[in-house]
């Protein structure tokens, strides 16, 4: 009987492993397909010839797609774990959700951590050096020569990074135990290096997320139809139509030899057509869309941002009075044993919404920064090197998102895998300073956003607008004369 029980236990363990592997493969396959369509939408259309450069671009495309899929998995992993915990609590004995267990969640976290390290330190550097390689001088040109040069560059880069991390860690922890652990590449070196990358990612999120939270109001204002208050859309469309006809007549009368003027007028005509489409869309929008959707979305964004700031403020108070509030505190009861929120399923749903909102805001804030403005991909006209840069940036942001959510107290889910092994998560002063900076910077960005109009009017009333003291972008179309010599009055 004992032998039969042991065999049945082995079979059950084998079937559970196969089931979990199949689920992980299917989830990743879906993310990979979606990522492939996203990248090919923005990738520059190259020649279809099967030459050497086309093969290199195709390999780099596959590696970038893999990295983007890992980034999406890292973003979705925390909400998936939270909702899985609530489902297991609600239906503990349901046969159809037995596959959703703690072993699967732990495996997904370990795979996400492993693939994040693999993409960040191996695949993306390989893709970049492979694109830029030409082969060593004296060797026969071809794919093999480019692969050889890429591998040599990767080895040199690995030695450089490992040497920097070794020296930095030796300076910080200069004791015998730390010096011995430095020689343990797998158990200490790589987790420590990934911990440093995660810290930089969290610092980048600290810079991008507050900017994105204030920028989200502008972005949604551009996507939605604003209410029509004291505006005559018919008159504006009539004026813009006259301006479009005037530009078309000027283009028809100019000689093709005047390339500069033709290019400038074509660009202005394109801008006028875009503005005309926006006005026509506002005119065709229903009263519900104009007067209800836009205010509701703005109020919703304001509520979500306010809740995020309040949660961070509450987390600061918890850090001051309770040591278990630290991200690297005591382990929780486990998956499916207790709810992660005091409000049950409703609180868990709110946490998921806030996590997605913070991720979207961080991406918007990242591309809104001046130093990363050139990273914005263009549909059908993005170079492969820029796609690699975008994939690396999104991977760093997505890998740091679970850490930031746990550090700010947005969720109480204990990070699994290597995400919870970061050394700096146990430093009280770093965690407290991070929470304080996030709350202060987010509040300042929101105050600056909602008081910019009042500030501009005060500058105009005092005559200070001529000194350009405000960095609020002004409408260039309102001050620039049109091609037909008339002032734009829109």
């Amino acid at each position: 009987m004992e032998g039969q029980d042991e065999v049945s236990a082995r079979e059950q363990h084998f079937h559970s492993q196969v089931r979990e592997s199949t689920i992980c493969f299917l989830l990743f396959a879906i993310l990979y397909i979606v990522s492939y369509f996203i990248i090919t939408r923005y990738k520059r259309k190259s020649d279809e010839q099967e030459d050497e450069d086309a093969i290199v671009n195709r390999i780099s495309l596959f590696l970038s797609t893999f990295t983007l899929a890992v980034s999406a998995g890292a973003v979705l992993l925390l909400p998936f774990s939270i909702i899985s915990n609530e489902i297991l609590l609600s239906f503990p004995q349901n046969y159809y959700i037995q596959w959703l267990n703690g072993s699967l969640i732990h495996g997904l976290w370990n795979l996400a951590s492993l693939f994040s390290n693999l993409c960040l330190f191996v695949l993306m550097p390989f893709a970049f050096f492979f694109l830029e390689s030409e082969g060593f001088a004296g060797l026969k040109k071809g794919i093999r020569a480019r692969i050889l040069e890429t591998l040599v560059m990767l080895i040199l880069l690995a030695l450089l990074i490992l040497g920097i991390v070794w020296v930095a860690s030796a300076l910080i922890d200069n004791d015998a135990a730390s010096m011995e652990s430095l020689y343990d590449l797998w158990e200490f070196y790589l987790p420590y290096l990934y911990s440093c990358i995660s810290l930089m990612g969290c610092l980048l999120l600290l810079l991008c997320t507050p900017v994105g939270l204030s920028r989200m109001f502008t972005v949604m204002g551009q996507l939605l139809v604003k209410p029509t208050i004291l505006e005559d859309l018919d008159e504006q469309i009539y004026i813009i139509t006259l301006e479009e006809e005037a530009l078309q007549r000027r283009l028809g009368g100019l000689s093709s030899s005047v390339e500069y003027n033709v290019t400038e007028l074509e660009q202005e005509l394109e801008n006028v057509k875009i503005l005309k489409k926006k006005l026509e869309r506002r005119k065709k929008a229903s009263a519900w869309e104009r007067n209800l959707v836009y205010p509701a979305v703005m109020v919703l964004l304001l509520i979500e941002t306010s809740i995020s700031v309040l949660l961070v403020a509450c987390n600061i108070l918890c850090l001051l009075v309770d040591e278990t509030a630290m991200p690297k505190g005591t382990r929780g009861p486990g998956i499916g044993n207790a709810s992660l929120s005091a409000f049950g399923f409703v609180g868990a749903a709110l946490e998921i919404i806030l996590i997605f909102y913070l991720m979207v805001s961080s991406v918007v804030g990242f591309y809104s920064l001046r130093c990363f403005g050139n990273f914005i991909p263009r549909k059908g006209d993005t170079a492969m090197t820029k796609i690699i840069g975008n994939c690396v940036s999104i991977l760093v942001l997505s890998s740091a998102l679970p850490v930031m959510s746990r550090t700010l107290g947005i969720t109480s889910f204990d990070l699994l895998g290597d995400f919870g092994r970061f050394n700096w998560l146990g430093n009280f002063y770093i965690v407290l300073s991070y929470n304080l900076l996030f709350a202060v910077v987010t509040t300042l960005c929101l105050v600056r956003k909602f008081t910019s109009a009042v500030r501009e009017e005060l500058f105009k009333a005092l005559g200070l607008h001529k000194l350009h003291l405000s960095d609020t972008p002004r409408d260039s179309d309102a001050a620039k004369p049109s091609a037909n010599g008339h002032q734009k009055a829109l």
Side-chain angles (χ1 to χ4, degrees), residues 172-372:
I172 295 174
D173 297 326
N174 191 11
D175 56 353
S178 298
M179 293 299 293
E180 292 180 0
S181 62
L182 288 176
Y183 297 99
D184 194 346
L185 181 64
W186 185 258
E187 293 295 331
F188 177 82
Y189 225 137
L190 292 180
Y192 184 84
L193 181 59
Y194 190 60
S195 177
C196 297
I197 299 296
S198 174
L199 177 59
M200 290 190 292
C202 288
L203 293 178
L204 183 60
L205 283 176
L206 182 62
L207 180 65
C208 298
T209 307
V211 177
L213 289 175
S214 61
R215 179 69 178 167
M216 283 292 291
F217 294 91
T218 304
V219 173
M220 296 306 297
Q222 294 174 353
L223 296 177
L224 300 176
V225 178
K226 298 181 180 180
T228 305
I229 303 176
L230 300 178
E231 286 184 297
D232 190 351
L233 294 179
D234 292 330
E235 182 180 357
Q236 294 184 17
I237 293 175
Y238 176 71
I239 294 174
I240 206 69
T241 303
L242 292 178
E243 186 173 355
E244 180 183 2
E245 294 175 354
L247 287 171
Q248 290 176 350
R249 286 195 298 268
R250 289 199 62 184
L251 281 173
L254 285 177
S255 173
S256 60
S257 60
V258 189
E259 297 181 358
Y260 177 76
N261 292 334
V262 171
T263 304
E264 184 178 357
L265 288 176
E266 287 178 350
Q267 181 63 36
E268 190 169 357
L269 179 60
E270 185 67 24
N271 296 334
V272 169
K273 289 182 179 179
I274 294 175
L275 181 58
K276 183 180 179 181
K277 289 181 180 179
K278 292 181 178 179
L279 292 174
E280 291 177 348
R281 180 174 178 269
R282 292 184 61 187
K283 183 180 179 181
K284 294 179 181 178
S286 62
W288 288 97
E289 185 180 359
R290 289 196 305 266
N291 302 322
L292 182 61
V293 175
Y294 181 84
V297 171
M298 293 296 117
V299 171
L300 182 61
L301 292 178
L302 183 60
I303 292 175
E304 291 180 349
T305 306
S306 302
I307 292 176
S308 302
V309 176
L310 289 176
L311 288 177
V312 175
C314 294
N315 189 54
I316 293 174
L317 295 177
C318 293
L319 289 172
L320 294 175
V321 299
D322 189 6
E323 294 181 356
T324 59
M326 290 290 294
K328 205 174 183 180
T330 57
R331 287 294 178 185
I335 302 295
N337 295 325
S339 179
L340 301 175
S341 175
F343 300 99
F345 191 84
V346 177
L350 179 61
E351 289 180 2
I352 294 174
I353 293 174
L354 290 178
I355 290 171
F356 280 119
Y357 180 57
L358 290 178
M359 184 60 199
V360 175
S361 301
S362 64
V363 174
V364 172
F366 176 79
Y367 288 116
S368 299
L369 297 177
R370 294 182 180 179
C371 52
F372 300 111

Side-chain angles (χ1 to χ4, degrees), residues 15 43 72 89 134 144 152 156 158 184 233 275-276 290 298 300 316 318 346 379 384 388 414 418 433 441 455 468:
H15 288 302
K43 182 179 176 295
L89 283 175
E134 296 180 357
R144 292 184 178 180
V152 172
L156 295 176
D184 194 346
L233 294 179
L275 181 58
K276 183 180 179 181
R290 289 196 305 266
M298 293 296 117
L300 182 61
I316 293 174
C318 293
V346 177
K379 181 180 177 181
M384 200 63 220
I388 293 175
D414 289 316
D418 289 336
S433 301
V441 175
R455 188 172 61 251
H468 303 288

Side-chain angles (χ1 to χ4, degrees), residues 384-395:
M384 200 63 220
T385 53
K386 185 178 289 187
I387 289 179
I388 293 175
N390 279 274
C391 290
V392 171
S393 302
I394 294 176
L395 177 62

